[in-house]
Amino acid sequence: MDVFQLLWLIPALPFFSFLILSLSGSKFSRTGVGVFATISVGISALITLIIGIQFLSSPPAGHFYEQTLWVWFDVAGFKPSIAFYLDPLSLVFTFVVTFVSFLIHWYSIGFMKTEEGHVRFFAYMNLFVFSMLMLVLANNLLLLYLGWEGVGLCSFLLIGFWYKDPYNCYAARKAFIVTRIGDTAMMVGLLMLVKNFNTLDIASILTTAPQTWSPGASQAFWVTILLLGGAVGKSAQLPLQTWLPDAMAGPSPVSALIHAATMVTAGVYLIARTHVLYELAPAVQTLVAIVGAATLLIAGFSAIVQRDIKRVLAYSTISQIGYMFLALGVGAWSAAVFHFMIHAFFKSLLFLSAGVVIIAMHHEHDIFKMGGLRKKMPVVFWTFLFGAGALAAIPLITAGFYSKDEILFFAMASTKGSTWLWLAGFVGAFITSVYTFRMVFVAFFGEQKHDIPYKPGISFKIPLIILGILSLIAGFIELPHTFGHFTPFSDFINTVFPAVQLIPEKEGMELTLQISTAVLALFGVFLAWQLYMKRPQMVTRFKETGFGKRLNDFLFSGWKFDWLYDTFFVKPFVWLSKIDKSDFVDRIYGGVANLNLYFNKLLSATQNGNVRSYVLGVALGAVIALTIILFL
Amino acid sequence: MQIIFYIAALVAIVSTAMVITRKNAVHALLYLIVSLLAVSVIFFVMGTPFVAALEVIVYAGAIMILIIFAIMMLNLGQASEKREKEWLKPRTWIGPGILAAILLAELIYTLNSFSPPAHEQAIIDAKDVGMSLFSTYALGVELAAMMLMAGIVGAYHIGHEKQKEYHRYLQKEEEL
Amino acid sequence: MIYVPANMGLLLAAILFLLGLIGVLTRRNVLFILMSLEIMLNAAGLAFVVAGAHWMQADGQVMFIFILTMAAAEVSVGLALILQMHRHHKTVDTNVLNLLKD
């Protein structure tokens, strides 16, 4: 049997699990719900693995496989179908989504053990996995958009999971509305594509676009910039990045799955998927790189001053996705996807570890109230350290080094790259290493501030250990030219993407760049050790100076973007709606209603229940009738 | 001899006016009987002896007796007279009086424009009425019979003192 | 028998009718209202008979008989209603019976 025919089962299984859980979840036992949800995602992951092995050992013709289930609708020649498209790019995403989801579901069994509404939680998680898989497997952009909105919905539902706290609901609404801005732009982009090509089928758009549009065509410019709008909304890039730090109001597994590993990288997937269009619009592609570079710096600086462990991780997520955008912008498609995969492993690991720490600390998020956790929770410490190492790109031993190094090299050496972009990434790498190890040192080293009797269970540990190992070794599938030159990953995925155009004279700089990046990362760790372990008073003293305090506040609030949007968009809008509340059109309708009420009052006065007044009415009527007959 | 008509008419008007102004229901009823008798006289002098007899037998007889029974069953007594006095304030008469005056003026105006030619009058006795009733108006008789039947059944059903069987939820209301 | 001018007879009927109407409008006691209704019905019957006599037709009297029948039926049902009203509400005041208002 052709294993590719099982493709539809990959999204279908989580969906069926969602249906069963949402319809009859209360009939399961408490752990039964979690185990059921986990197994459904696990089987999806298994099928992905089987299909992946098949794909690697005997690739289908043209390096893609398409499975059409049925035609969705057929209107005036526009007929999108429910169909899946599997190529190396979507295979990588599917693999990461199912596999990371499986581990996070597993972890959630323990995490949700004592929480209220665990059925709701697992149902939403399954729905999310389904939507995300629809997104990455869709063969047309409309189905992709369905999954896109589906993950947005699940994100909203899961951020507001603890809906009894109004702050969580606020965060959920904020995430939903901010991403909606991007989604609207994306929808307009899709409509433009429909108008130009009368189809949303990805493969046919990508083949016909270069024939109809010349490079730099204004159509291509607008379509790609609108799609970029959707991507920056979903992936929390500048200028729509403000929702992600607040989205940390959701449970830790949600942050790990949706707001670190999978959903927020949907923007990366979208751009990678439509890379042909971006190559037709070089201006927009440069913009992607600039957005990525600016975002990674802004988010990185904000991460340095955060106190909430999950907010640090949120800003680091924004920053890492910034790297992916940088890679996309310089045309290093495979490097972006590679970094996405590595990032999914180590960032979900960091979030899950943080979740264990937070549970152990009785829902304390402030890293400065932790401290000394190293001895109490060795497994969590080591896994967190692996994740942090990968995030900070500790050279040679961590996966993050290989992926980030590749991006930095291409930022410099690609024909679309520049020294400035490289410099942004380079500084960003340094900041990343500082804030990551600040978190590690403050939370896990030093003196223990609270007694923690809590011991994480086995269901927490296994996913952590698996992800920890992956964070270390996953990088070895893509070794740089200077170091082994073993590149099965990019060989595999480059059947989708064109190769990166390198500037010949900069090609030789690779080793120099690698060494400088490695040294810088280690120096960042050393600086964090100096600042937060050896001389913490230096930092506090700097914070007490006027400039330091203001700088700290500025960075803490995420460069005041919330304030900016509040002042320029929210408040004028609220003001407008307030003055528009009593507009004259309303008055017309209100007047009609009031007139009716007035007549009702008049008429109901006649219905006073007094028989004699009815008689009076009859007599008056007789008088009037008679008068009319006689005198008119 | 038209004077008999005018005297009877005057009696009818005066006694009717007394009916609507009395405070004691029995007094009012007696005036009503006088009024009906006066109308009966008018019928007689107009040459319609059959309806004159019916007026006395059915109206002044049967219907008024029915009302007397009702008054006796209600047993209103002295208190009701006092109450009637309270209810009948002079100003309550103003509105209806004006209304009636307007209607009357209009009717007089109408009747003035209608001046019938004076011609012979003949007695229309019971035989003529019966012939007409059971030929032309046979259907009307049937309907009247059915209406009377309905009246009897309705009156029995409504006036019947019902067995007080309330639903158990409504028993409290019964006690009130 | 004597000659009665038809418009005089009709005028009498009108006056009696209006007196009945005044009675209905002014009295609060439901018994008086019923009596006033009888007056009005009687006046209507009088008008029919006068008209019938004027045209020397039996139809006027036939109508009077119908009115008489109706009055009898109406009084019997009306009195039954008054009795029930008095039994349940212990009053004959129509102003009290305004439960039908909205």
Side-chain angles (χ1 to χ4, degrees), chain C residues 27-78:
Chain C
R27 303 306 294 246
R28 283 168 71 174
N29 189 330
V30 70
L31 256 176
F32 283 90
I33 290 177
L34 200 66
M35 281 189 231
S36 304
L37 275 175
E38 290 304 313
I39 294 169
M40 288 166 80
L41 282 171
N42 187 45
L46 176 60
F48 270 113
V49 174
V50 169
H54 177 73
W55 299 110
M56 287 183 295
Q57 295 289 328
D59 305 57
Q61 294 182 50
V62 171
M63 284 302 150
F64 181 80
I65 289 169
F66 285 149
I67 289 171
L68 199 71
T69 320
M70 204 207 71
E74 178 245 325
V75 158
S76 58
V77 176

XYZ file of all heavy atoms in Angstrom, chain C residues 27-78:
392
model
N -74.071 55.940 35.487
C -74.213 55.068 36.654
C -73.025 54.118 36.762
O -72.485 53.646 35.754
C -75.500 54.244 36.565
C -76.766 55.056 36.419
C -76.913 56.101 37.492
N -77.099 55.531 38.796
C -78.215 55.641 39.525
N -79.243 56.316 39.041
N -78.311 55.119 40.729
N -72.632 53.856 38.027
C -71.559 52.897 38.241
C -72.104 51.543 38.655
O -71.435 50.518 38.507
C -70.600 53.401 39.320
C -69.678 54.469 38.791
C -68.940 55.160 39.886
N -67.922 54.307 40.500
C -67.081 54.753 41.411
N -67.113 56.020 41.785
N -66.191 53.961 41.934
N -73.318 51.577 39.199
C -73.935 50.328 39.618
C -74.358 49.542 38.392
O -75.100 50.026 37.546
C -75.153 50.663 40.480
C -75.721 49.431 41.139
O -75.627 48.340 40.589
N -76.327 49.608 42.298
N -73.920 48.313 38.306
C -74.145 47.531 37.101
C -75.622 47.230 36.892
O -76.094 47.092 35.756
C -73.272 46.257 37.148
C -73.748 45.301 38.190
C -73.249 45.568 35.785
N -76.395 47.198 37.976
C -77.844 46.979 37.847
C -78.496 48.126 37.083
O -79.338 47.913 36.210
C -78.454 46.905 39.245
C -78.814 45.508 39.745
C -79.312 45.594 41.176
C -79.859 44.882 38.847
N -78.098 49.346 37.443
C -78.659 50.508 36.766
C -78.236 50.543 35.304
O -78.993 50.951 34.429
C -78.240 51.798 37.472
C -79.023 52.033 38.734
C -78.588 51.539 39.945
C -80.228 52.715 38.694
C -79.315 51.729 41.091
C -80.961 52.901 39.837
C -80.510 52.417 41.051
N -77.031 50.104 35.083
C -76.575 50.063 33.687
C -77.452 49.115 32.889
O -77.876 49.421 31.764
C -75.092 49.633 33.629
C -74.207 50.741 34.182
C -74.692 49.315 32.197
C -72.759 50.409 34.241
N -77.776 47.977 33.495
C -78.629 47.002 32.813
C -80.008 47.608 32.527
O -80.563 47.450 31.432
C -78.761 45.750 33.678
C -79.189 44.496 32.930
C -78.127 44.064 31.955
C -79.497 43.390 33.915
N -80.558 48.303 33.539
C -81.864 48.931 33.346
C -81.812 49.970 32.233
O -82.719 50.040 31.395
C -82.319 49.604 34.647
C -82.883 48.626 35.656
S -83.605 49.567 36.977
C -82.862 48.845 38.379
N -80.735 50.749 32.226
C -80.608 51.772 31.186
C -80.523 51.133 29.814
O -81.073 51.659 28.840
C -79.368 52.624 31.445
O -79.431 53.170 32.738
N -79.849 49.968 29.767
C -79.781 49.242 28.495
C -81.176 48.843 28.050
O -81.504 48.926 26.856
C -78.906 48.007 28.646
C -77.408 48.208 28.482
C -76.674 46.909 28.773
C -77.110 48.663 27.064
N -81.992 48.407 29.017
C -83.377 48.030 28.686
C -84.123 49.230 28.104
O -84.876 49.092 27.142
C -84.094 47.534 29.937
C -83.609 46.197 30.461
C -83.689 45.122 29.401
O -84.734 45.024 28.740
O -82.676 44.408 29.212
N -83.873 50.375 28.719
C -84.532 51.585 28.213
C -84.140 51.824 26.763
O -84.978 52.114 25.897
C -84.150 52.812 29.075
C -84.716 52.652 30.488
C -84.680 54.091 28.459
C -84.173 53.657 31.469
N -82.845 51.692 26.505
C -82.373 51.945 25.139
C -82.973 50.953 24.159
O -83.389 51.313 23.046
C -80.843 51.863 25.100
C -80.165 53.052 25.772
S -78.435 52.767 26.090
C -77.763 53.072 24.496
N -83.007 49.685 24.549
C -83.588 48.673 23.668
C -85.052 48.972 23.390
O -85.527 48.871 22.254
C -83.449 47.291 24.300
C -82.069 46.639 24.196
C -82.021 45.382 25.049
C -81.769 46.297 22.756
N -85.729 49.348 24.461
C -87.153 49.662 24.333
C -87.351 50.838 23.392
O -88.255 50.814 22.537
C -87.712 49.964 25.719
C -89.211 50.133 25.692
O -89.892 49.330 25.060
N -89.717 51.170 26.334
N -86.483 51.837 23.512
C -86.598 52.998 22.639
C -86.385 52.602 21.191
O -87.100 53.076 20.286
C -85.574 54.048 23.065
N -85.399 51.697 20.980
C -85.160 51.229 19.608
C -86.413 50.533 19.079
O -86.828 50.748 17.920
C -83.967 50.295 19.591
N -87.015 49.708 19.939
C -88.237 49.001 19.533
C -89.344 49.979 19.199
O -90.053 49.821 18.193
N -89.439 51.029 20.021
C -90.471 52.052 19.795
C -90.285 52.666 18.409
O -91.261 52.840 17.654
C -90.368 53.118 20.879
C -91.298 54.326 20.754
C -92.751 53.872 20.781
C -91.033 55.317 21.875
N -89.032 52.959 18.081
C -88.767 53.573 16.780
C -89.225 52.662 15.652
O -89.847 53.114 14.689
C -87.267 53.854 16.659
N -88.948 51.364 15.806
C -89.378 50.414 14.767
C -90.897 50.416 14.630
O -91.447 50.447 13.522
C -88.902 49.002 15.124
C -87.557 48.685 14.565
C -86.466 48.497 15.385
C -87.393 48.561 13.181
C -85.233 48.203 14.863
C -86.161 48.262 12.665
C -85.074 48.088 13.498
N -91.568 50.364 15.770
C -93.033 50.268 15.728
C -93.622 51.523 15.101
O -94.538 51.460 14.267
C -93.601 50.030 17.137
C -95.138 50.089 17.115
C -93.152 48.694 17.650
N -93.062 52.705 15.473
C -93.551 53.962 14.910
C -93.406 53.944 13.385
O -94.331 54.275 12.642
C -92.800 55.163 15.518
C -93.105 56.439 14.742
C -93.195 55.331 16.971
N -92.214 53.515 12.973
C -91.981 53.479 11.525
C -92.932 52.515 10.848
O -93.500 52.819 9.783
C -90.529 53.083 11.258
N -93.115 51.364 11.461
C -94.014 50.359 10.893
C -95.434 50.874 10.793
O -96.119 50.683 9.785
N -95.870 51.588 11.853
C -97.230 52.129 11.861
C -97.369 53.184 10.769
O -98.390 53.275 10.105
C -97.540 52.718 13.230
N -96.313 53.946 10.610
C -96.369 55.005 9.613
C -96.565 54.444 8.216
O -97.345 54.961 7.417
C -95.080 55.820 9.675
C -95.010 56.895 8.651
N -95.762 58.045 8.729
C -94.296 56.994 7.494
C -95.524 58.794 7.691
N -94.635 58.186 6.916
N -95.834 53.376 7.895
C -95.928 52.804 6.549
C -96.991 51.728 6.477
O -97.094 51.063 5.456
C -94.568 52.233 6.129
C -93.490 53.270 6.077
C -92.446 53.374 6.918
C -93.377 54.337 5.162
N -91.659 54.443 6.619
C -92.221 55.072 5.515
C -94.154 54.790 4.066
C -91.825 56.202 4.838
C -93.738 55.911 3.387
C -92.588 56.620 3.776
N -97.702 51.520 7.571
C -98.759 50.524 7.655
C -98.260 49.143 7.246
O -98.815 48.454 6.401
C -99.960 50.948 6.799
C -100.722 52.081 7.413
S -102.175 52.528 6.467
C -101.501 53.114 4.978
N -97.106 48.777 7.828
C -96.521 47.471 7.552
C -96.387 46.718 8.858
O -96.194 47.314 9.924
C -95.144 47.628 6.925
C -95.122 48.277 5.557
C -95.695 47.354 4.500
O -95.577 46.134 4.592
N -96.368 47.933 3.505
N -96.393 45.400 8.793
C -96.240 44.573 9.994
C -94.768 44.429 10.397
O -94.464 44.062 11.525
C -96.844 43.198 9.756
N -93.854 44.764 9.450
C -92.418 44.513 9.691
C -91.911 45.210 10.950
O -91.086 44.658 11.676
C -91.604 44.990 8.492
C -92.085 44.364 7.205
O -93.287 44.530 6.896
O -91.277 43.715 6.538
N -92.385 46.415 11.192
C -91.953 47.141 12.378
C -92.230 46.348 13.645
O -91.363 46.209 14.512
N -93.413 45.773 13.703
C -93.767 44.999 14.893
C -92.966 43.708 14.983
O -92.577 43.255 16.056
C -95.267 44.715 14.872
C -96.073 45.989 15.005
C -97.556 45.693 15.033
O -98.013 44.833 15.786
N -98.321 46.417 14.223
N -92.706 43.121 13.827
C -91.870 41.911 13.824
C -90.507 42.221 14.431
O -89.985 41.487 15.285
C -91.721 41.379 12.389
C -90.680 40.271 12.331
C -93.043 40.874 11.888
N -89.947 43.357 14.010
C -88.649 43.765 14.552
C -88.736 43.978 16.062
O -87.842 43.603 16.816
C -88.178 45.066 13.881
C -87.649 44.861 12.487
S -86.281 43.712 12.486
C -86.487 42.998 10.886
N -89.875 44.586 16.476
C -90.028 44.795 17.913
C -90.007 43.462 18.646
O -89.381 43.330 19.704
C -91.339 45.544 18.181
C -91.565 45.814 19.624
C -90.934 46.883 20.248
C -92.371 44.983 20.401
C -91.126 47.122 21.584
C -92.555 45.219 21.740
C -91.930 46.307 22.338
N -90.665 42.458 18.060
C -90.673 41.143 18.713
C -89.266 40.570 18.812
O -88.862 40.022 19.836
C -91.625 40.193 17.955
C -93.072 40.627 18.189
C -91.460 38.755 18.435
C -94.071 39.952 17.323
N -88.518 40.741 17.730
C -87.124 40.265 17.786
C -86.346 40.986 18.882
O -85.583 40.379 19.638
C -86.434 40.476 16.432
C -86.858 39.486 15.391
C -86.885 39.821 14.053
C -87.242 38.195 15.755
C -87.276 38.904 13.091
C -87.649 37.280 14.811
C -87.672 37.637 13.476
N -86.542 42.293 18.952
C -85.826 43.060 19.974
C -86.234 42.595 21.361
O -85.397 42.432 22.261
C -86.085 44.564 19.792
C -85.361 45.061 18.532
C -85.629 45.354 21.003
C -85.729 46.473 18.163
N -87.500 42.338 21.503
C -88.020 41.851 22.785
C -87.356 40.531 23.181
O -86.887 40.347 24.304
C -89.524 41.654 22.631
C -90.349 41.589 23.897
C -90.392 42.974 24.529
C -91.760 41.128 23.568
N -87.289 39.649 22.190
C -86.651 38.349 22.426
C -85.211 38.541 22.872
O -84.739 37.949 23.844
C -86.664 37.527 21.127
O -87.914 37.711 20.473
C -86.419 36.072 21.406
N -84.548 39.404 22.116
C -83.136 39.643 22.441
C -82.981 40.247 23.831
O -82.095 39.865 24.596
C -82.542 40.582 21.401
C -81.066 40.459 21.268
S -80.399 42.016 20.703
C -80.612 43.009 22.129
N -83.882 41.179 24.149
C -83.800 41.808 25.463
C -83.987 40.774 26.563
O -83.268 40.782 27.573
C -84.848 42.903 25.566
N -84.908 39.861 26.347
C -85.140 38.833 27.365
C -83.886 37.993 27.554
O -83.427 37.763 28.686
C -86.316 37.959 26.952
N -83.329 37.545 26.425
C -82.121 36.728 26.524
C -80.992 37.512 27.177
O -80.279 37.011 28.058
C -81.713 36.272 25.123
N -80.840 38.751 26.769
C -79.759 39.587 27.280
C -79.903 39.791 28.785
O -78.954 39.688 29.548
C -79.790 40.928 26.542
C -78.763 41.924 26.981
C -79.398 43.142 27.625
O -80.482 43.558 27.190
O -78.826 43.650 28.591
N -81.129 40.056 29.224
C -81.342 40.282 30.653
C -81.052 39.025 31.452
O -80.408 39.081 32.503
C -82.791 40.775 30.878
C -83.226 40.522 32.309
C -82.866 42.248 30.586
N -81.473 37.875 30.908
C -81.222 36.668 31.695
C -79.734 36.408 31.845
O -79.223 36.162 32.946
C -81.928 35.476 31.066
O -81.461 35.318 29.745
N -78.991 36.507 30.736
C -77.541 36.286 30.819
C -76.887 37.391 31.648
O -76.030 37.129 32.502
C -76.921 36.221 29.410
C -75.417 36.086 29.509
C -77.482 35.068 28.641
N -77.319 38.634 31.408
C -76.730 39.767 32.129
C -76.925 39.643 33.628
O -75.968 39.860 34.403
